[in-house]
Amino acid sequence: MPPKDYNAKDIRILEGLDAVRTRPGMYIGTTGVRGLHHILWEIVDNAMDEAANGFASTINVEIHADGSVSVEDDGRGIPVDLHPETGVSGVEVVFTQLHAGGKFDNDTYTHSGGLHGVGASVTNALSEWLTVEVYKHKTTYRMEFEAKTVDGKLKGGVPKYQLFDTGIKADKQGTMVRFKPDKTIFETVVFSLDTIAKRLKELAFLNRGIRIILTDHRLQQNPRREYFYEGGLSDFVQYLNETRSAAHAEPIYLKGSRDDIYLEIALQYTDAYTENVFSYVNNIPTTEGGTHETGFKIALTKVMNDYARKCGMLKDKDANLLGDDYREGLTAVLSVKMQNIQFEGQTKTKLGNPEAKTAVDGIIEDELAKFFESGPKAKATLDIILKKAILAAKVREAARKEKEITRAKNQIDSFNLVGKLSSCSGKKPENNELFIVEGDSAGGTAKQARNRSFQAILPLRGKPLNAEKKRIDQVLANEEIRTIISALGAGIGDDFTLDDLNYHKVIILSDADQDGAHIRAILLTFFFRYMKPLIHEGHVYIGLPPLYKIAKKDAVEYVYDDAALEDARKRFGRASTIQRYKGLGEMSAEQLWATTMNPAERTLVRVSIEDAAEAEKLVSVLMGDAVDLRKAYIIENADFNKEDAFREIAK
Ligand code: TSJ
């Protein structure tokens, strides 16, 4: 028979459990479904500890039809002997003594996790009833607790009787705890098979060789699940990679310890592009990472970069690859066990202990290098990983450029340039012309000269930079270039859309000198690189201002090159005057209109895609050339006999 009822003098010990019932949130976070499972994890974790310490090999978890759950291990059994001074059994201490500090207390006697080690007494306090059996010394010890009204007050975890030897013969060893959560505490008391199965499977992966059996007696069919992984973390990683294709057959498995911090890690690369690093401390998932994960990443990056140099994949001049490059396609599970864990972060799932970073970094640096030196198979794996990382770095570089383009595009979208552009009044883009004019003074003249109903003027101050030579972000940071993009309104790069083009003729008007030729080449290069359809569809033109004005009495003729000048001289005879225009700015508005802007009189060279492709080369050619550059460039491009499809003189 069980011993006598628990008596009043022992009630004092229950005051701690009162606190748990008054403010359960302080101890288990919530009284929702998460909290409900929390109190189960507390029990499971205790059994896990016994197993992890090598004293138990199997854990049985059962969900019973009456709403209770039980956890049983085959360990040594909770101590049953009485504490010499207090006369209280080990079992009673476990279920009635609250660990000080509640949820911030990690001071469990082993590496227990789950509730951050608040203890089995919390489970007891929040249960309608709890029964514990200890199988030891060939017999069965038993103790029961329940929620009941004492002195008019409802209390939890009240012993029904002291621990006693039932005399029931036991030919096994271990501890069995069964409890029913208190429905007056929890919002729900229905355990989730899914949640429990997932966590037990995870624990089985994290604790190699421990057999965990889960039985749900609520189910009519297939109530039993079994989780047992001889390979531990390596099995975990292979399981995670089941749907991916692995880059090397066997996960890399490393373990080690330093300063009382124990580490295990398994990693395997796949053809995925994502990084899947899962980390744990004392079997608790650290979803937000933390110092242990940081230590791992530092070590991986360092060891891999060292090998990349050693084997010549990275040369002296090359920069190190980034950690991200070495983690592309990586699946890894990192498990650390240590004392006094501290959590940080939004959800308190980030390990904060700085010593974990140092220890993990150190262990992995040593063990990973050791692994790669362990034989030809490991060397082959190293080779695969390095090649993957170098590819990842290349892709990253390309992606970075793409991103810069996008960022610059967005800047342009919000950039207001209206001040510089003298737009035209006409609303039909197909009739509209944009003159990009070199220099403010020529721009002013062009503005006076133009027909404002369809001609817009964009003066270019300074020289727009060379689009071919600079990185896209620099190109787009240039105000002249941004002004052009804005004025055209059709976007840039992949986003360029002719449908949005504001001007169907884009006419470059620059001086007949070296600078003018250079600006022209730069603009063409820019259009070629970032607005190819603009050129391809024939929207880009070069305006041809005259080089000379020849006059005799009332007869005036404008001449566009030296050969034509010779011809005109013969016709005009000796008494003629010849004026050479050194720049657009020397012309009057009337002259500029008559010679260069009036569609009835002007000559435009339509730029072909080949012209634009050549433009970048021309930049350097023109820069170093001493001959009449305008002649060398424009005349050649005006040679429309070669490719009529691309080159045509347009009015
Ligand atoms: F949660 C719990 F405390 F109720 C609980 C504890 C629940 C379950 C299912 C198992 C356990 C548990 C505790 N299993 N095994 C142990 N082991 C001990 O408590 C133990 C046994 C022997 C010795 C020793 O030094 O001889 C020390 C300890 C802590």
Side-chain angles (χ1 to χ4, degrees):
M1 280 302 291
K4 64 169 174 47
D5 259 20
Y6 209 69
N7 55 47
K9 75 171 165 60
D10 299 312
I11 293 296
R12 213 166 37 85
I13 209 159
L14 292 173
E15 273 163 16
L17 298 191
D18 268 356
V20 177
R21 284 182 70 92
T22 311
R23 304 172 78 186
M26 285 287 290
Y27 299 86
I28 58 166
T30 96
T31 53
V33 69
R34 267 182 80 96
L36 176 76
H37 290 84
H38 248 149
I39 66 169
L40 170 59
W41 307 145
E42 188 55 38
I43 303 302
V44 169
D45 289 343
N46 276 280
M48 252 346 275
D49 283 339
E50 186 74 355
N53 290 330
F55 299 110
S57 64
T58 303
I59 296 171
N60 252 293
V61 177
E62 297 183 44
I63 308 170
H64 300 278
D66 65 357
S68 68
V69 284
S70 62
V71 181
E72 180 174 342
D73 68 31
D74 57 355
R76 295 164 297 174
I78 301 174
V80 295
D81 38 292
L82 303 184
H83 191 275
E85 277 153 45
T86 59
V88 176
S89 71
V91 170
E92 188 176 336
V93 170
V94 165
F95 287 98
T96 58
Q97 301 277 42
L98 194 65
H99 290 279
K103 71 173 179 178
F104 299 110
D105 179 25
N106 304 303
D107 186 25
T108 49
Y109 49 88
T110 59
H111 299 293
S112 111
L115 301 175
H116 310 175
V118 286
S121 59
V122 169
T123 305
N124 188 27
L126 301 175
S127 291
E128 193 178 310
W129 54 260
L130 183 146
T131 302
V132 53
E133 286 185 353
V134 175
Y135 314 109
K136 216 171 181 156
H137 318 131
K138 300 279 172 218
T139 188
T140 302
Y141 298 87
R142 188 179 173 89
M143 186 167 182
E144 278 184 68
F145 305 83
E146 63 182 344
K148 71 177 235 191
T149 304
V150 179
D151 297 340
K153 196 167 179 268
L154 184 60
K155 301 206 173 267
V158 183
K160 277 175 96 165
Y161 48 81
Q162 295 286 1
L163 180 78
F164 77 110
D165 181 350
T166 62
I168 299 167
K169 189 176 180 298
D171 41 30
K172 60 180 181 184
Q173 252 199 46
T175 306
M176 190 285 298
V177 174
R178 179 169 172 172
F179 66 95
K180 187 176 182 190
D182 192 330
K183 59 182 176 300
T184 69
I185 300 278
F186 292 99
E187 290 154 32
T188 170
V189 286
V190 181
F191 283 103
S192 154
L193 174 62
D194 248 30
T195 303
I196 296 171
K198 188 168 170 283
R199 174 61 177 159
L200 295 183
K201 183 171 183 163
E202 187 178 38
L203 283 171
F205 276 130
L206 290 170
N207 299 276
R208 164 215 318 244
I210 295 172
R211 191 177 306 278
I212 303 179
I213 297 157
L214 169 62
T215 311
D216 188 346
H217 294 288
R218 299 170 305 185
L219 299 181
Q220 312 295 325
Q221 286 167 2
N222 308 323
R224 192 177 185 278
R225 318 245 177 303
E226 186 171 327
Y227 309 107
F228 174 74
Y229 302 103
E230 199 107 56
L233 296 189
S234 295
D235 285 354
F236 199 167
V237 162
Q238 280 180 318
Y239 167 75
L240 292 168
N241 283 343
E242 227 168 48
T243 57
R244 308 183 175 114
S245 103
H248 50 102
E250 295 295 320
I252 299 169
Y253 174 81
L254 311 170
K255 70 183 284 185
S257 71
R258 193 171 283 206
D259 306 325
D260 239 17
I261 294 172
Y262 297 80
L263 171 155
E264 272 188 280
I265 187 167
L267 33 114
Q268 186 180 42
Y269 287 84
T270 70
D271 63 356
Y273 298 107
T274 50
E275 166 190 332
N276 283 295
V277 176
F278 298 96
S279 64
Y280 295 84
V281 63
N282 299 350
N283 289 333
I284 307 165
T286 34
T287 320
E288 295 173 282
T291 48
H292 54 339
E293 241 185 76
T294 305
F296 158 61
K297 290 175 179 177
I298 290 170
L300 179 72
T301 309
K302 181 176 187 306
V303 171
M304 298 312 292
N305 269 323
D306 285 354
Y307 274 107
R309 289 198 187 280
K310 225 184 196 170
C311 75
M313 282 196 200
L314 279 182
K315 305 274 186 272
D316 286 349
K317 65 174 168 61
D318 296 330
N320 273 343
L321 299 195
L322 302 185
D324 285 342
D325 300 328
Y326 291 117
R327 293 195 303 274
E328 187 176 299
L330 171 67
T331 302
V333 179
L334 169 67
S335 173
V336 165
K337 295 195 175 161
M338 62 184 291
Q339 300 281 350
N340 306 316
I341 52 177
Q342 256 128 38
F343 286 103
E344 295 174 348
Q346 291 275 301
T347 55
K348 293 270 174 279
T349 57
K350 183 178 179 183
L351 185 65
N353 303 59
E355 68 272 24
K357 178 177 138 187
T358 325
V360 172
D361 179 4
I363 297 165
I364 292 183
E365 260 188 44
D366 292 355
E367 298 301 320
L368 192 56
K370 230 190 270 174
F371 168 79
F372 286 135
E373 301 297 335
S374 69
K377 233 172 96 179
K379 266 267 147 46
T381 303
L382 170 64
D383 203 58
I384 289 165
I385 299 171
L386 287 177
K387 281 187 178 137
K388 264 187 75 76
I390 283 171
L391 185 66
K394 280 188 184 146
V395 173
R396 165 172 58 81
E397 187 54 27
R400 185 186 62 79
K401 283 189 183 143
E402 193 58 41
K403 209 167 152 190
E404 273 165 2
I405 291 171
T406 309
R407 192 187 312 132
K409 274 180 202 157
N410 293 340
Q411 271 178 20
I412 282 153
D413 289 344
S414 58
F415 184 71
N416 190 353
L417 64 110
V418 193
K420 296 192 106 183
L421 175 73
S422 302
S423 54
C424 56
S425 55
K427 295 290 175 238
K428 288 185 173 157
E430 58 272 25
N431 297 334
N432 290 348
E433 302 177 347
L434 177 68
F435 282 85
I436 302 175
V437 184
E438 176 188 358
D440 272 342
S441 85
T445 309
K447 214 179 138 182
Q448 286 179 292
R450 68 174 173 152
N451 179 338
R452 65 172 301 146
S453 72
F454 68 98
Q455 292 180 321
I457 308 296
L458 182 62
L460 282 191
R461 210 162 291 151
K463 216 183 270 185
L465 51 65
N466 183 344
E468 190 67 32
K469 296 260 165 73
K470 304 281 181 181
R471 288 202 344 232
I472 179 70
D473 54 331
Q474 293 172 283
V475 170
L476 298 172
N478 180 275
E479 202 173 318
E480 311 292 336
I481 295 285
R482 286 159 50 140
T483 305
I484 293 167
I485 298 166
S486 261
L488 294 183
I492 180 174
D494 294 341
D495 291 345
F496 184 83
T497 321
L498 277 174
D499 292 347
D500 299 334
L501 187 63
N502 290 329
Y503 305 92
H504 280 211
K505 282 196 174 76
V506 178
I507 301 161
I508 301 168
L509 213 51
S510 60
D511 284 339
D513 60 9
Q514 188 162 311
D515 275 358
H518 192 208
I519 285 172
R520 204 158 47 230
I522 287 167
L523 286 172
L524 290 185
T525 303
F526 169 72
F527 290 140
F528 178 70
R529 298 270 297 180
Y530 302 112
M531 298 185 176
K532 207 164 269 172
L534 192 69
I535 295 173
H536 210 267
E537 298 305 313
H539 294 292
V540 181
Y541 300 83
I542 290 164
L544 280 191
L547 263 186
Y548 304 98
K549 176 180 150 187
I550 184 163
K552 189 180 178 182
K553 294 186 183 150
D554 283 348
V556 174
E557 203 173 309
Y558 296 96
V559 176
Y560 294 84
D561 60 62
D562 288 340
L565 180 64
E566 284 312 308
D567 181 61
R569 260 195 179 135
K570 282 172 197 154
R571 287 187 283 104
F572 274 70
R574 287 198 170 273
S576 61
T577 58
I578 296 167
Q579 186 191 351
R580 185 194 161 105
Y581 294 115
K582 291 201 206 73
L584 292 162
E586 291 181 355
M587 270 183 260
S588 69
E590 291 71 26
Q591 286 171 342
L592 190 60
W593 167 256
T595 61
T596 313
M597 295 178 75
N598 180 1
E601 300 294 333
R602 72 188 179 192
T603 304
L604 296 180
V605 178
R606 178 179 272 173
V607 176
S608 76
I609 201 82
E610 285 80 6
D611 295 334
E614 283 294 306
E616 195 254 341
K617 286 180 210 161
L618 279 166
V619 170
S620 54
V621 171
L622 294 172
M623 284 299 280
D625 211 327
V627 299
D628 185 338
L629 297 158
R630 182 176 175 278
K631 188 178 168 188
Y633 181 64
I634 295 299
I635 299 304
E636 191 189 311
N637 282 280
D639 180 5
F640 43 90
N641 293 325
K642 278 197 288 186
E643 279 176 84
D644 288 23
F646 291 108
R647 287 192 184 83
E648 59 183 270
I649 298 289
K651 288 287 181 189

